Amino acid sequence: MAAQLTEATTDPGCRVLGLRERKKQRTRDSLVEAAHRLFLVHGYGRTTVDEIAATVDVSQRTFFRYFENKEEVALAVMADAEDFFIECLRRRPAEENPLEAMRASITEAWRSLGSVEHAGPGSVTAALELFELIESTPTLLAAHLRHTAEQERQVAVILAEREGLDPVTDLRPRLLAAVFGAVVRLSHLSWNSDAASHQGGPDGMIALIEHHFDQLGPALAGSWRR
């Protein structure tokens, strides 16, 4: 995942990056970090592309070489985190059932992005900081939900491939991907409203995700009446 490799010399596929590619990666990371900080301080609507570019000391033209618009740079941290989750899911052992593989992948992704090696614009801390901004900005929320829908499609395809199913005729991969997406979104919303989780940082988010997954079985198949 690109944004987690600011100081590294290889990409997610273990390909050695050349000097030109590393320079381009540093510029992209700098734009993401500058946008992130400006959005948190001044708000999404009051921050302009010119301000983001000026913070990094590049031209507006250079900005648009990396991002189509302000919305894309704002969601870059989340998009990169989602891509990393997809990578983790693809690598999970074949013997795990679909839900086990997804649960392990999201935990692995959060733990990895929360490590010291992944500090910076693509870190889990940056992703956590963005949740409230996304939820409070209709434009970003709509775009994020579109990205989430695309991620669910990718997850369904991966699950179908793992299980040897046709995702067009078999509903289970799509249903489970949608349920999984809902559990993760509820965890994010809970994190936004839970001050104690904020103090826990990445570990607080992981604990929330685990708690929500623990409740999934009883919610779907258990008796709600005690």
Side-chain angles (χ1 to χ4, degrees):
M1 172 173 145
Q4 276 72 45
L5 300 172
T6 308
E7 301 300 329
T9 57
T10 59
D11 69 2
C14 298
R15 174 175 58 87
V16 176
L17 297 179
L19 177 62
R20 180 180 177 82
E21 291 172 304
R22 294 200 302 273
K23 183 177 179 180
K24 289 174 65 176
Q25 187 60 57
R26 285 194 295 269
T27 300
R28 181 189 185 276
D29 288 347
S30 295
L31 286 168
V32 171
E33 186 167 19
H36 181 78
R37 295 305 165 195
L38 287 169
F39 293 149
L40 291 179
V41 173
H42 302 297
Y44 176 78
R46 291 191 295 273
T47 300
T48 66
V49 168
D50 284 339
E51 289 171 333
I52 297 169
T55 301
V56 182
D57 197 24
V58 299
S59 66
Q60 185 186 88
R61 181 177 179 181
T62 297
F63 174 92
F64 287 116
R65 288 176 187 164
Y66 292 88
F67 302 101
E68 290 187 5
N69 48 45
K70 188 173 69 169
E71 177 185 287
E72 186 176 340
V73 72
L75 294 175
V77 168
M78 296 304 299
D80 288 347
E82 289 162 2
D83 288 345
F84 189 56
F85 160 74
I86 292 293
E87 282 183 42
C88 293
L89 181 58
R90 291 188 189 279
R91 296 196 302 261
R92 295 306 305 175
E95 61 269 19
E96 290 180 340
N97 69 47
L99 186 57
E100 287 174 338
M102 288 191 293
R103 181 169 179 170
S105 296
I106 195 69
T107 301
E108 177 187 351
W110 278 104
R111 289 196 187 285
S112 181
L113 299 183
S115 67
V116 174
E117 291 83 357
H118 288 160
S123 69
V124 70
T125 301
L128 291 172
E129 290 173 339
L130 273 178
F131 288 150
E132 186 172 352
L133 177 67
I134 289 172
E135 292 295 333
S136 63
T137 308
T139 301
L140 291 182
L141 180 57
H144 181 57
L145 292 177
R146 289 196 300 271
H147 291 178
T148 299
E150 171 57 23
Q151 184 191 42
E152 287 180 9
R153 186 196 67 79
Q154 293 182 56
V155 168
V157 170
I158 294 172
L159 296 182
E161 289 174 350
R162 285 172 56 93
E163 302 300 316
L165 305 174
D166 182 350
V168 176
T169 58
D170 195 315
L171 293 179
R172 288 174 295 177
R174 285 178 289 166
L175 284 171
L176 189 56
V179 170
F180 174 82
V183 171
V184 173
R185 176 165 166 73
L186 283 174
S187 300
H188 293 174
L189 292 173
S190 295
W191 189 89
N192 276 341
S193 61
D194 187 349
S197 296
H198 287 209
Q199 296 174 0
D203 287 339
M205 173 54 76
I206 291 170
L208 275 176
I209 290 174
E210 293 285 0
H211 176 66
H212 280 74
F213 272 112
D214 287 341
Q215 296 303 308
L216 181 58
L220 293 176
S223 173
W224 289 19
R225 298 181 180 179
R226 300 289 183 181

